[in-house]
Amino acid sequence: MARGSRNLGRSKGLIGEEKESSWISYTDLMSALLIIFALVIMVTMYDTQNAYEQQKKAMDEATEAIKQKEEAIAQNNKLIEDVIGVKSKIIEELMIAFKDSNLDLQIDKQTGAIRFSGGVFFDKNSSTVSAKGVDYLEDFIPKYIEILMSDQFRDEIAQIIVEGHTDSDGGYLYNLQLSQDRALAVAQQVFAPNFPKFKYQEELKTVITANGRSFSVPILDKNGEMDPDKSRRVEFKFRLKDEQLLEKLQGMMVDDGR
């Protein structure tokens, strides 16, 4: 009987140990699962935070790009207003100065370009300024330059351009040379020793340029055909410093939009 009691007690002890061992293993498993779960949550939170920060960064960059674009547009608009304002004032002054002039010229009310018909300065196929052309220049240049180089506008002027144009007789390259020679001849005449001195003559040297355009910018008749007589001409133009800056900014915006 005593031996049986001892065996029974040993059996109960083993069962208790097995139960305790099983409970410990289950606890370890649950602990491991909790740790894994916590790690998964931490990784998920990290990924979510990282994704949020990247998205916020992208949104901030997009917002900054839009802001810069808007600032560039505002700057462009301001420049356009300034250019239009200054150009309008110059054109108004030119219109007043040559309103009662006997010179055969036309003033473009949009650009301020002043156009002289072909027969005024040159004989056909010639690049020598005619006597009539010299008289025209002596009358026209002092008034024209006094307006553009005045204290009111001098700091706004980037270029004063003498531009030669031809008809299509003789081909493009022949007329390119002829138109360039004519534009240069006009500029040379203005600075010739026998040309009457005028106000801002020396200042003019810093901004004047002479360009030949061949027949690339013809004057058309009512049928849309080149008018040879009107196409043979000399034009005086001016460019503002803000115009050049505006063109540069617009070019940058076009490049950014590609």
Side-chain angles (χ1 to χ4, degrees):
M1 177 67 68
R3 182 178 297 173
S5 297
R6 286 197 298 272
N7 291 336
L8 180 59
R10 188 179 296 122
S11 298
K12 288 181 178 180
L14 291 173
I15 292 172
E17 290 176 1
E18 290 177 358
K19 287 182 177 180
E20 185 178 352
S21 177
S22 298
W23 176 252
I24 292 172
S25 298
Y26 178 75
T27 302
D28 292 342
L29 177 61
M30 291 300 295
S31 298
L33 289 174
L34 285 172
I35 292 172
I36 293 172
F37 182 68
L39 288 173
V40 170
I41 291 176
M42 291 175 63
V43 170
T44 303
M45 290 178 64
Y46 175 80
D47 289 343
T48 302
Q49 179 68 20
N50 191 43
Y52 169 77
E53 290 177 354
Q54 290 181 350
Q55 186 177 12
K56 185 176 183 300
K57 181 180 178 182
M59 291 179 64
D60 290 344
E61 289 176 350
T63 301
E64 182 64 23
I66 292 172
K67 181 180 178 181
Q68 291 179 358
K69 202 80 168 180
E70 289 176 345
E71 290 175 351
I73 291 172
Q75 187 177 6
N76 270 5
N77 291 339
K78 178 66 168 57
L79 278 174
I80 290 172
E81 291 176 2
D82 291 344
V83 167
I84 292 175
V86 173
K87 182 164 283 190
S88 296
K89 290 179 182 178
I90 293 175
I91 293 172
E92 182 180 358
E93 293 289 334
L94 292 174
M95 296 289 290
I96 293 172
F98 296 103
K99 179 180 179 181
D100 299 321
S101 174
N102 293 322
L103 300 176
D104 182 13
L105 59 81
Q106 294 178 317
I107 301 176
D108 189 314
K109 296 180 181 180
Q110 300 298 318
T111 66
I114 295 182
R115 178 187 305 157
F116 291 89
S117 60
V120 169
F121 292 113
F122 303 100
D123 295 331
K124 190 172 176 61
N125 294 321
S126 172
S127 59
T128 301
V129 180
S130 64
K132 180 181 179 181
V134 173
D135 291 340
Y136 262 61
L137 288 173
E138 291 178 357
D139 189 354
F140 168 73
I141 288 294
K143 297 177 184 177
Y144 182 66
I145 300 305
E146 187 169 0
I147 292 172
L148 293 183
M149 301 301 291
S150 66
D151 292 341
Q152 184 179 6
F153 302 122
R154 184 186 310 167
D155 291 338
E156 306 290 344
I157 299 296
Q159 285 183 322
I160 295 176
I161 306 159
V162 183
E163 202 168 77
H165 298 262
T166 66
D167 59 26
S168 58
D169 288 348
Y172 177 79
L173 291 178
Y174 169 79
N175 284 290
L176 182 62
Q177 183 67 57
L178 179 60
S179 61
Q180 181 65 53
D181 290 345
R182 286 177 171 179
L184 182 59
V186 169
Q188 288 174 330
Q189 183 62 45
V190 171
F191 296 106
N194 59 340
F195 194 86
K197 299 298 180 181
F198 58 90
K199 195 173 182 179
Y200 306 121
Q201 189 171 29
E202 289 303 310
E203 290 86 342
L204 177 59
K205 293 177 182 179
T206 65
V207 293
I208 194 169
T209 184
N211 296 336
R213 301 297 303 276
S214 189
F215 51 82
S216 59
V217 191
I219 301 297
L220 305 180
D221 60 22
K222 60 182 180 180
N223 298 318
E225 302 292 333
M226 175 188 284
D227 186 320
D229 291 334
K230 292 183 178 180
S231 294
R232 291 190 296 270
R233 67 196 190 277
V234 172
E235 293 187 4
F236 289 83
K237 299 180 176 182
F238 61 87
R239 285 174 59 82
L240 304 178
K241 293 177 181 177
D242 280 349
E243 279 184 294
Q244 295 180 325
L245 178 58
L246 180 59
E247 290 173 1
K248 183 178 180 180
L249 286 173
Q250 289 175 331
M252 292 171 61
M253 292 182 67
V254 169
D255 291 339
D256 289 342
R258 288 178 181 174

